[in-house]
């Protein structure tokens, strides 16, 4: 593993950190998350216009800066630190990744709209009972989709959705671009535990043009799996930011909180707990960087590195978040500090893109043995 | 009257007075907290409380002169047993009953007992507890809410936190500072009417949503002199007794016991194998593991109880709070795991009400190792009192 | 669970503790364990004659005192405290339990010899590859056994063995009493990790009389399972003694060992570790007492209680033993303190009569849910 | 000479001088420790050591004037890479090389460097380390082995413990007390010939059996004045540098890497399922888990190394010792689990030699969290140096 940030990457990270420190203060964020629409579309445009953020990881022919996994990692970590709810992950990592690998002018055009901030594209791949039961049928004018999708995060904010379905007569997975306003598409939106918005989708006689299909019918399973690994690596990077904040807040709290005539930071048990949190974050960081660097390798290498990162990060999230609450004592249980929101995001990340069991199982299946 | 006769009479009384609707599981909103603002969505709840209180059986072992049942240990046990056999809900939930009552019986003046105990037995007065302060949590004795001698009354100023149900209570029992020169030796135990001018409360929102906890503010509150319990500056001894009591209480309350539900969900989410077991072997074994831990904890509780009942000092009882918190947290971790997508919801459709409730209980369980003495403080206490290790913090 | 020791039980325990404190000092034990035969047959007779120990848990008609599971528990805990290697478990708990439940005068007579200390009967039930491959064939004179048994603890000291086998034409398990000197029986003896002696057995054309069969051919599976549960409960009790000693030694060591100008017992991290050890021992104790009281219940209740105890105890053993070593620092790694021997016994108990996985699996299979 | 030419020459030299028998795994008894009592069961080992030493490549970056290879970082890396590419065993194992050499290069006098470094490079002098004492473990600076100024020499009295291979070594580098009035400021760094009258050693038996550790006794041992390294009473600074070095060393040594063996055993013991995987799902996942932890630890090590190489202070390096100890212990726990009955043996038939060895390695691994600084001390150090928490113990 050889890894140094180049100048542009350092600049991207520093600019973003500075921007968020000024423009994304926690109290303002809390109000926005509680209200409607639950995010800041104007800020999204500033991400595109002022920071060039939305195209940071996109190919140059789509108006992006030609970056990739490392740029995604930097953005996600910064977003984690500031607990940004705007859908960079869903739109610029997941959907954009799928579009960038899909042939055709329509995909490239949509990608360009993502980079400039005028399209919010969000994938909807999971279903209430697992697998892909959503059916796509050829019609004279294109396609008709019928089925349901569950917990499509950021879907309420989307201009387009990328929906997985099974095309009549094929066995593999297919992906379709669906405009948000399409007839026959209904969204049931709701807040999630970590203050985001998600929706369950119902497609009933949803009519699409022929160009809505991405790539070849039935041939998108590998694309979907790559997308999920990229998503997992991205939330791992986000978790690094979330955990850094949880750790820093806790460190500050124990240095300030006095009991028994001294700062509780002086108690050895509390010191060791903070160190144990730090250790887990360090391991999580090493595994996450490696996973990001492995996204362009073979599917097997990618999967092993991502599963290792996701498990290492998930366990770190659990330990760090729970101990951050514990060391804050009663205050940690209240909804009055940023802590609570970071805690919830950390626990959500634990489960997103496959929980510990899922990735342990996948890893055991692939049976790599450390060299 | 022999115990047999007592039992026979009890049974026929129960047949006549225990409403069938109260021999079912108790939903949260039907908990019989009593008090002047008591709510009884099911009128049977009220009837049952009043009937039990009339016999003094809401406080079976308290003396009859204070409204109690005056039962000896044997008969109290018979009463318990018959109630349990019928699956009867408790007639009254009350901090007055569980915490203040025993303190008044031991430390209260005759006048205090006569005035305060009967309304507790009857569920007329609801009490809350004013102990912790923002800067006095684990180090409770550093509390600063002060009661100043103003001649014919005390003048109380300060702020209490984690006062459960303060916004519903009629009275509060409080630790207050009456001497700023000494730490533990400057604390007194005071009873304060929540209707007194100058008292206000603010509910505390938790990461799990709304909660019964409040902050309670005292701004120049006048309290009659005779509401001091025990000697002036003698409050710490009372507090310690009460805290011990609270620890046991917290440990026993809301502890596990829903593994059946977890198993059912796991079957639903992961399917079953050829032998009808949860298909996911690792999860199945984790559930078995949690079950074993809960069971061992429960057995330790029973052992502690037996030793306490036999008048012995129990080293097991100090274990219980810690182990119960751990068991409960582990329990809800399993629960949330079996919820899958359902565990990501926060409110509203399409999530099932039960899933949302479980998710919030899971978040709430993070407090188990904090409330009633953090696990860290609890371990300090065990190190000193049970293992005899030298004191540090 | 209702549990009070009666007077006789208290007496048994106190006498035994006193006896062992005087007669079973650690240094003498160490020499005996390193030499031959690795145990003290003369002490065994004193257990019988002076303490009435060997019959404490045996029925009165066999010369015992009519006790049972509680007596076994008390003896095993005391043995654990003193790290006694003499085969009470194998002979007086396991073999005697099987004999007491077997019909026939031969079984009763052998039981009486156990109680008086003149027979050492030891079971040999496990085989190198699991299951029961040892075959028993009817002959004109009785039986012929052929097969192998693995790790029969205390077998090198036995006068008789109880060997499990499959009788030709039956499917269940059968048990046979085999005199140690029988023709066709060969023992390969060796020391185990915890300083005991065990043997692998080879039966080749081993001829036995007709009375050698215990009970009915093919009908002893339940008996064997009960024996294994009794064994598991007994080593749980032994573990309580072993852990008590590990904890006490560690407590004493940290109070005495000075570093940085103070006894290391003053460090909060060390205090909390000792408390955590104590907590695990308390849970192990509660679960063990309950398992002992459950041995006479239905097979299912027995199995659930025993598995709960074995898992709780095994995890306590691991945690307590490893932290005892850790808190002793370098001294804990040397073979110079009793600690090392207690450590090894604790880790052996972890695995005897089914390890954590085995009992978790059995418990999950029976699927009790805490009431 | 360009690096290309260097590489070409190196390769042809290796083709000529690296014996094929040394491109295999190294058994314990063929470790090339050197020294006056060096044992070389395979004569190729000796030839290889001498050949490498003649070029100074046992210490590639040390100056040529002290017998080293005088290579810059690039060429040292090329040498490493070519050796690794061929799977060559190390030519020399030596505490002199790893620990004392760097200290002498930084703190030694010119005369000391000339006298002591070349025999280290050539594998002629074997060194051991005299740091810990029975009452000075975690609190190393409380050491009491004293060196008294006896005019023309030092007189050393005391006792060292955990001196690995003291019974095989030619020399020992020691921390000794030269001022009893100051703790850290009264320690000096001294080189002592193990043949000096008054030195004796006693091997230490571990719970895992025999070990390279010894106790070393100094009874009125005379040491020439010129064997003091660095300033009088300036030994603590040297010791700290060395300890840091030892920590990294201990962390990297003997760490994991045998999961393939564990998997093979698990297949044997538990069988395989229809997909050819270990049949026991829970065990399979535990192995995957251990693998992940080892891998993450290894990645963290690499990151720490990169930062150190780049001349940055690395907070990751402090993590490494702790995590590596944990990974190794967890590794052997899995190993012992997959041994089943085989793991109960201690010596002799019917146990396989390899099983007995693994069992002893498992016991030995319990020391990983103790040696080279206990995990507890390590956490204290991280708390202070990395997190900046206030010092306690």
């Amino acid at each position: 593993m050889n890894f140094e940030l180049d100048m542009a990457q350092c600049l991207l990270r520093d600019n973003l950190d500075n921007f968020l420190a000024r423009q994304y203060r926690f109290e303002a964020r809390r109000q926005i998350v509680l209200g409607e629409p639950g995010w800041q579309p104007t800020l999204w445009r500033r991400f595109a216009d002022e920071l060039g953020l939305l195209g940071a990881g996109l190919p140059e022919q789509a108006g992006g800066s030609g970056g990739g996994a490392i740029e995604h990692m930097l953005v996600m970590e910064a977003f984690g630190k500031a607990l940004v709810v705007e859908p960079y992950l869903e739109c610029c990592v997941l959907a954009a990744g799928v579009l960038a690998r899909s042939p055709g002018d329509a995909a490239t055009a949509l990608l360009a709209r993502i980079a400039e901030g005028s399209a919010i594209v969000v994938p909807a791949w999971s279903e209430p009972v697992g697998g892909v039961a959503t059916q796509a049928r050829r019609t004279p004018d294109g396609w008709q989709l019928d089925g349901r999708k569950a917990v499509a995060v950021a879907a309420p904010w989307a201009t387009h959705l990328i929906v997985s379905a099974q095309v009549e007569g094929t066995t593999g997975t297919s992906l379709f671009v669906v405009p948000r306003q399409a007839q026959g598409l209904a969204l049931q939106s709701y807040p999630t535990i970590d203050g985001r918005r998600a929706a369950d989708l119902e497609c009933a006689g949803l009519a699409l043009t022929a160009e809505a299909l991405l790539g070849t019918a039935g041939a998108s399973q590998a694309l979907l799996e790559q997308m999920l690994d990229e998503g997992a690596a991205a939330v791992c990077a986000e978790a690094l930011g979330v955990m850094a904040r949880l750790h820093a807040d806790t460190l500050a709290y124990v240095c300030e909180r006095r009991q028994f005539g001294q700062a509780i930071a002086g108690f050895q048990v509390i010191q060791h707990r903070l160190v144990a949190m730090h250790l887990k974050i360090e391991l999580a960081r090493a595994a996450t960087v490696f996973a990001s660097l492995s996204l362009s390798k073979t599917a097997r290498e990618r999967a092993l590195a991502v599963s290792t990162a996701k498990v290492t990060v998930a366990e770190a999230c659990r330990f760090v978040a729970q101990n951050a609450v514990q060391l804050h004592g009663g205050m940690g249980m209240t909804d009055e500090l940023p802590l609570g929101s970071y805690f919830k995001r950390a626990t959500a990340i634990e489960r997103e893109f496959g929980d510990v069991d899922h990735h342990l199982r996948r890893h055991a299946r692939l049976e790599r043995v450390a060299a | 009257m022999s115990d047999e006769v007592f039992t026979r009479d009890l049974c026929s009384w129960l047949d006549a007075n225990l409403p069938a609707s109260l021999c079912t599981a108790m939903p949260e909103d039907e908990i019989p907290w009593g008090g002047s603002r008591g709510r009884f969505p099911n009128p049977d709840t009220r009837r049952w409380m009043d009937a039990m209180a009339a016999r003094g059986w809401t406080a079976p072992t308290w003396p009859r002169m204070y409204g109690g049942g005056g039962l000896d240990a044997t008969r109290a046990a018979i009463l318990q047993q018959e109630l349990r056999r019928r699956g009867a809900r408790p007639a009254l939930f009350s901090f007055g009953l569980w915490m203040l009552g025993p303190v008044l019986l031991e430390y209260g003046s005759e006048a205090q007992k006569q005035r305060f105990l009967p309304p507790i037995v009857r569920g007329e007065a609801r009490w809350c507890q004013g102990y912790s302060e923002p800067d006095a949590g684990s180090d409770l004795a550093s509390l600063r809410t002060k009661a100043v001698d103003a001649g014919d009354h005390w003048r109380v100023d300060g702020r209490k936190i984690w006062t459960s149900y303060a916004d519903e209570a009629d009275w509060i029992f409080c630790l207050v500072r009456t001497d700023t020169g000494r730490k533990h030796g400057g604390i007194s135990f005071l009873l304060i009417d929540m209707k007194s001018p100058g008292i206000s409360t603010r509910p505390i929102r938790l990461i799990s949503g709304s909660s019964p906890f409040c902050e309670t503010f005292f701004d120049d509150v006048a309290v009659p002199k005779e509401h001091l319990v025990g000697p002036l500056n003698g409050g710490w001894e009372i507090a310690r007794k009460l805290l011990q009591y609270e620890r046991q209480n917290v440990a026993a309350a809301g502890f596990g016991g829903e593994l059946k539900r977890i198993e059912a969900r796991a079957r639903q989410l992961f399917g079953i194998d050829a032998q009808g077991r949860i298909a996911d072997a690792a999860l199945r074994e984790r559930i078995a593991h949690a079950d074993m831990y809960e069971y061992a904890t429960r057995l330790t509780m029973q052992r502690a109880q037996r030793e306490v009942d036999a008048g012995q000092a129990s080293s097991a009882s100090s274990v219980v709070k810690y182990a119960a918190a751990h068991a409960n947290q582990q329990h809800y971790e399993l629960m949330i795991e079996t919820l899958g997508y359902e565990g990501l919801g926060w409110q509203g459709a399409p999530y099932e009400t039960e899933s949302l409730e479980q998710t919030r209980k899971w978040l709430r369980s993070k407090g188990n190792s904090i409330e009633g003495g953090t696990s860290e403080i609890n371990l300090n206490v065990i190190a000193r009192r049970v293992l005899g290790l030298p004191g540090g913090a």
Side-chain angles (χ1 to χ4, degrees), chain A, chain B:
Chain A
M1 183 176 55
N2 220 335
F3 176 62
E4 293 284 337
L5 293 185
D6 66 27
M7 187 104 79
Q9 290 166 336
C10 289
L11 205 66
L12 170 72
R13 182 192 57 192
D14 297 345
N15 282 346
L16 181 54
D17 277 341
N18 287 335
F19 181 89
L20 293 174
R22 279 177 290 113
Q23 308 292 332
Y24 214 87
R25 292 180 196 281
F26 185 78
E27 268 316 309
R29 173 199 175 277
R30 187 205 293 270
Q31 295 312 318
I32 284 155
V33 163
L34 288 174
E36 288 302 332
W39 70 308
Q40 301 178 72
T42 53
L43 190 75
W44 189 254
R45 297 308 292 249
R46 294 179 63 194
F47 283 161
D49 301 342
E50 291 178 32
L51 297 170
L53 194 67
L54 304 186
L58 302 191
E60 288 171 5
Q61 67 268 33
S65 332
I70 298 303
E71 282 71 16
H72 288 327
M73 184 176 76
L74 298 175
V75 173
M76 289 305 295
E77 182 172 356
F79 272 33
K81 254 188 260 177
L83 217 57
V84 175
V85 296
E86 278 68 20
Y88 183 88
L89 168 67
E90 293 78 12
C91 179
C92 301
V93 179
L94 303 180
V98 167
L99 291 171
R101 278 178 220 104
S102 296
D105 294 343
T108 310
L110 191 51
L111 208 52
R113 290 189 56 203
I114 289 178
E116 71 178 28
S118 66
I120 309 284
V121 190
V122 164
W125 70 90
S126 66
E127 301 201 358
V129 289
V132 182
T134 299
Q135 286 289 329
R137 211 157 45 76
R138 279 178 215 273
T139 63
D141 301 327
W143 301 93
Q144 181 185 316
L145 263 57
D146 291 277
R148 303 167 62 87
K149 296 284 162 186
V151 201
V153 176
W157 307 332
T159 58
H160 301 75
L161 296 151
I162 296 181
V163 175
S164 59
Q166 191 161 22
V167 169
E168 234 183 359
T170 68
T171 50
T173 306
S174 303
L175 297 172
F176 293 88
V177 175
V178 178
R180 168 69 185 86
Q181 303 304 339
Q183 284 282 333
L185 173 66
L187 266 63
Q188 182 176 28
S189 305
Y190 46 87
T192 54
I193 186 171
D194 52 0
R196 284 153 205 249
R197 303 297 165 97
D200 285 9
L201 274 55
E202 177 149 18
C203 308
L206 171 64
L208 298 171
T209 62
E211 295 75 46
L213 175 68
L214 289 172
T216 311
S220 293
Q221 186 58 35
L223 202 57
L224 189 62
E225 279 168 21
Q226 182 163 8
M227 181 192 88
L228 294 177
D229 275 341
E230 287 172 345
V235 291
C236 285
E238 185 186 0
L240 295 180
V242 171
M243 291 192 289
R245 175 70 189 262
L246 283 167
H247 192 261
D249 280 8
T250 306
L251 193 58
Y253 181 81
V254 300
C255 287
E256 175 213 296
R257 172 77 172 170
R258 297 181 69 82
Q259 291 283 274
F260 305 105
Q262 60 168 300
I264 63 172
F267 292 106
Q268 195 188 24
V269 158
I270 288 180
Q271 295 197 350
H272 281 205
R273 198 79 55 83
L274 280 159
V275 171
M277 293 160 77
H278 170 73
L279 298 182
K280 295 213 185 268
I281 295 173
E282 290 282 310
L283 293 188
R285 175 171 299 281
T288 298
V289 170
F290 184 69
S292 291
L293 293 172
S294 302
L295 288 175
S296 50
K297 298 184 186 167
T298 66
R300 183 169 174 280
E301 286 176 289
R302 185 187 77 213
L304 288 169
V306 166
S307 285
T308 296
K310 190 64 181 33
V311 168
T312 307
V313 165
E315 293 182 341
C317 275
R318 176 176 295 205
F319 186 83
V320 170
Q322 299 199 354
N323 277 292
V325 167
Q326 180 70 21
L327 295 186
H328 273 79
M331 279 310 290
M333 285 299 293
T334 70
D335 211 21
E336 290 168 18
L337 303 176
L339 183 76
S341 300
Y342 283 86
F343 172 88
K344 288 177 186 171
R345 182 63 194 138
T347 58
I349 288 176
E350 232 186 284
R351 284 172 272 154
E352 286 178 359
F353 298 97
D355 62 8
V356 166
D357 279 0
H358 170 85
H359 284 285
L360 271 180
R361 237 171 271 138
R362 182 169 80 159
H363 194 280
R365 203 162 57 230
L366 295 168
E367 278 193 338
R368 175 198 62 179
V369 163
Chain B
M1 187 171 65
S2 74
D3 289 344
E4 285 70 35
V5 177
F6 171 79
T7 309
R8 210 181 48 222
D9 289 359
L10 168 63
C11 288
S12 51
W13 185 85
L14 286 173
D15 291 343
N17 288 279
L18 172 59
S21 73
L22 294 192
C23 298
T24 59
M26 180 164 66
E28 184 112 4
D29 63 347
E30 287 194 18
I31 295 178
W33 284 110
S36 63
R37 276 168 280 187
R39 283 182 302 267
F40 300 88
N42 173 0
D44 280 351
T45 305
R46 177 85 204 213
R47 290 219 330 263
W48 173 231
M49 184 180 89
D50 289 345
M52 285 286 281
R55 299 216 134 197
W57 287 349
T58 46
T61 59
W62 292 9
R64 295 194 64 85
M65 61 185 299
Y66 306 129
L71 301 186
D72 61 19
T74 311
R75 292 193 178 174
I78 294 172
L79 173 60
Q80 271 315 318
Q81 186 188 315
E82 288 302 326
L83 289 169
R84 197 161 32 221
R85 216 159 57 78
R86 287 168 170 76
R89 296 185 194 166
L92 178 58
F93 262 48
S94 158
F95 295 126
L97 216 46
W98 304 327
M99 305 180 77
L100 179 63
V103 161
L104 283 182
L105 284 169
E106 184 170 355
Y107 297 93
S109 68
E110 189 51 41
Q112 287 169 340
K113 292 183 206 178
Q114 288 186 14
R115 163 150 190 205
F116 293 111
L117 291 176
I120 291 175
V121 174
R122 294 193 299 266
E124 290 166 8
R126 182 167 179 183
W127 286 81
C128 65
Q129 168 183 278
Y131 270 37
S132 300
E133 299 181 6
D135 290 321
S138 294
D139 183 12
L140 179 59
S142 67
L143 60 88
R144 290 187 304 204
T145 294
K146 62 173 192 285
V148 174
D149 189 334
D152 63 339
H153 65 276
W154 299 102
R155 210 184 62 235
V156 177
D157 280 283
R159 183 150 71 118
K160 293 289 177 182
I161 197 167
W162 309 119
T163 44
S164 309
Y165 301 107
D167 49 352
E168 310 261 3
D170 300 301
W171 286 80
I172 185 169
F173 50 93
C174 260
L175 292 178
V176 293
R177 180 151 305 285
T178 39
D179 183 343
T180 54
R182 290 174 300 164
K183 188 174 180 181
H184 295 83
I187 294 170
S188 298
F189 194 94
L190 201 60
L191 310 179
I192 306 177
D193 189 336
M194 288 296 285
K195 290 190 299 294
S196 315
I199 297 188
S200 58
T201 63
R202 185 181 74 85
I204 298 174
R205 230 185 121 70
L206 296 185
I207 55 174
S208 47
S210 58
S211 84
F213 294 118
C214 295
E215 265 189 292
T216 302
F217 303 85
F218 300 86
D219 181 16
D220 203 5
V221 176
V223 179
K225 272 296 176 72
E226 66 268 26
H227 287 181
L228 179 74
V229 178
L232 181 64
N233 294 322
W236 187 247
E237 182 191 328
I238 304 178
R240 274 189 52 167
K241 280 230 169 144
L242 239 168
L243 275 181
Q244 214 173 334
Y245 205 75
E246 186 191 9
R247 253 166 226 176
Q248 286 174 15
N249 233 32
V250 169
F255 158 59
E258 295 181 294
L259 283 168
K260 260 197 202 316
R261 196 198 305 237
I262 293 182
E263 290 202 330
R265 285 219 65 102
R267 278 169 218 278
Q268 207 179 314
L269 190 65
F270 297 99
I272 55 172
D273 68 8
Q275 289 98 63
R277 305 172 301 174
I278 299 160
D280 184 316
L283 176 63
R284 195 169 66 224
E285 286 170 27
R286 274 206 297 283
I287 293 176
H289 204 185
D291 185 17
M292 289 178 173
Y293 190 87
E294 283 193 29
Y295 205 71
T297 303
R298 210 176 293 277
L299 290 168
T300 307
M301 270 184 200
Q302 289 169 10
R303 180 172 150 231
Q305 196 53 51
R306 241 180 8 256
E307 290 174 354
V308 168
D309 290 349
Q312 300 163 18
S314 169
S315 86
S317 67
S318 56
V319 170
V320 165
K321 159 85 168 68
Y322 183 91
H326 179 73
N328 207 47
Q329 290 176 340
Q330 178 180 270
H331 178 98
Y332 280 106
E333 285 296 333
L334 271 176
M335 174 70 83
I336 201 78
E337 191 179 333
T338 58
L339 282 178
Y341 279 135
E342 283 284 315
L344 286 173
W346 186 239
Q347 58 190 28
Y351 292 98
E352 296 169 22
T353 311
E354 191 197 302
S355 303
L356 295 170
E357 199 178 284
Q358 294 301 332
T359 301
R360 284 161 188 260
K361 279 190 181 174
W362 160 70
L363 285 166
R364 180 64 186 78
S365 74
K366 301 301 163 205
N368 296 152
S369 48
I370 295 170
E371 57 208 316
T374 67
S375 286
E376 288 79 8
I377 292 291
N378 196 26
L379 296 181
N380 281 350
V381 169
I382 301 174
R384 279 210 290 293
R385 301 220 190 119
V386 181
L387 303 187
L389 287 166

